[in-house]
Amino acid sequence: AGGPLLAGCVGVFGAMLFWAGRMRREVLRHRQAAVALRDSQRQMADEAQRRSAVSDLLLALQQARTPEAFGQTVLRELGRQAPVGQALFATVDPAGQTVARAHYAGAGATPAQTLVEMPSTAVLVDRCIATAQPVLVEQPGPDYLRIRSGLGHGAAAAIVVLPVLDSGRVTAVIEVAMAQPMTAQLWQLLEAFQPIVAVSLARFAPDAPVPDQEGGGAVAATELTEALP
């Protein structure tokens, strides 16, 4: 009599193990699906925010009438979207000479003074112009640009120098001291800003054609905005 009873118990126990394992797999599958859904929703929200930021930048740049006002607009819009501690916008002429146009929370009294405030960051700007590639220094420490605020001075979490390119030539650089570490979202924002700034800046070039009422640069920048993912 004990044999059938034991066999029955083993069968029930095996069935319990089977269903417990299946339940665990189902719970894991639902958790993975929930994580994937949250990631997708977060990505969609990031893309929507990025498109909105680029649209705001485009509209604001169309109002700029001088390179100085243009640079200030770029930095202001960037400061609205990113943890910018300090920033500088400088144009680069065909000879490679840098002209500081605007600064954001700069320590110097003028953009030019901010540009030469720390020789170490000037080296980063020169490297960016020479290579036409972004330059990133993470956790730069006290020897680099320090962020000034109402709470005092502090080292930047990251320093980024972004080239603005026109047909492969660097026409401007944006130097940013970030108050927080760089993230993938911040890089995507900078990459989205880059072509809008480049196309809009072209109208200030010495050989730029006289724009029509709509503004050729504005039309081209609008097309770039619409092409964003």
Side-chain angles (χ1 to χ4, degrees):
L5 178 60
L6 179 61
C9 290
V10 170
V12 171
F13 184 69
M16 291 175 61
L17 288 178
F18 171 79
W19 286 108
R22 184 169 181 175
M23 288 179 63
R24 283 196 297 269
R25 289 192 295 272
E26 286 295 317
V27 170
L28 178 60
R29 186 174 65 83
H30 284 296
R31 286 178 178 173
Q32 291 173 339
V35 170
L37 178 59
R38 285 196 299 269
D39 289 344
S40 177
Q41 291 173 335
R42 187 181 304 113
Q43 183 179 5
M44 292 176 62
D46 289 342
E47 290 177 356
Q49 182 177 2
R50 188 163 57 250
R51 287 183 64 91
S52 176
V54 170
S55 178
D56 290 345
L57 173 66
L58 173 59
L59 292 175
L61 289 179
Q62 292 177 12
Q63 307 304 315
R65 295 292 178 262
T66 66
E68 289 73 20
F70 183 95
Q72 199 64 52
T73 299
V74 171
L75 301 185
R76 184 187 69 241
E77 293 299 316
L78 183 58
R80 290 178 55 206
Q81 304 295 334
V84 176
Q86 186 168 321
L88 178 83
F89 181 89
T91 54
V92 183
D93 66 21
Q97 296 299 311
T98 305
V99 180
R101 300 292 186 177
H103 60 166
Y104 178 94
T110 66
Q113 291 176 359
T114 298
L115 178 63
V116 299
E117 180 192 25
M118 294 291 287
S120 55
T121 59
V123 172
L124 302 182
V125 171
D126 291 341
R127 186 195 310 172
C128 178
I129 295 172
T131 63
Q133 295 293 327
V135 177
L136 170 65
V137 179
E138 296 183 289
Q139 298 180 341
D143 293 335
Y144 280 85
L145 191 67
R146 294 179 65 81
I147 296 174
R148 297 187 179 187
S149 70
L151 301 178
H153 295 192
I159 294 177
V160 183
V161 185
L162 188 73
V164 176
L165 302 173
D166 183 5
S167 301
R169 186 180 76 82
V170 178
T171 56
V173 291
I174 305 171
E175 181 183 12
V176 185
M178 292 291 185
Q180 299 176 15
M182 286 294 295
T183 63
Q185 288 78 13
L186 284 176
W187 272 118
Q188 290 169 352
L189 176 67
L190 293 177
E191 290 172 351
F193 270 31
Q194 193 176 27
I196 301 300
V197 174
V199 172
S200 300
L201 180 64
R203 71 179 188 270
F204 294 107
D207 57 349
V210 178
D212 54 24
Q213 288 184 341
E214 293 295 327
V219 173
T222 301
E223 293 174 349
L224 278 174
T225 303
E226 294 174 347
L228 288 174

